[in-house]
Amino acid sequence: MAPVGHPQPVRTLIDAPLAEHERLWAGAGMPHTVFRTTFPELVPITGGEPAEVAVGPAQVRLTPR
């Protein structure tokens, strides 16, 4: 799912280890619909919550809002 452009708020989780990368490419599954960003930019433009999404095999840790 694209991280931006929703008509209403959508809970968005951003995998916290992405912060280790200098640049990120975000998109919606099509090669011509991506944009370059950084972790510090991605969090506020998406309203996303940094989370440990890929903790281990079949484990996802979510905190209630």
Side-chain angles (χ1 to χ4, degrees), residues 1-4 25-36:
M1 175 182 327
V4 295
W25 290 92
M30 299 294 292
H32 60 280
T33 59
V34 297
F35 61 95
R36 182 176 157 174

Side-chain angles (χ1 to χ4, degrees), residues 16-55:
L18 290 174
E20 299 170 14
H21 298 278
E22 183 177 335
R23 69 183 78 123
L24 305 173
W25 290 92
M30 299 294 292
H32 60 280
T33 59
V34 297
F35 61 95
R36 182 176 157 174
T37 188
T38 64
F39 190 83
E41 290 174 340
L42 188 63
V43 173
I45 66 172
T46 61
E49 306 167 44
E52 294 292 330
V53 177
V55 179

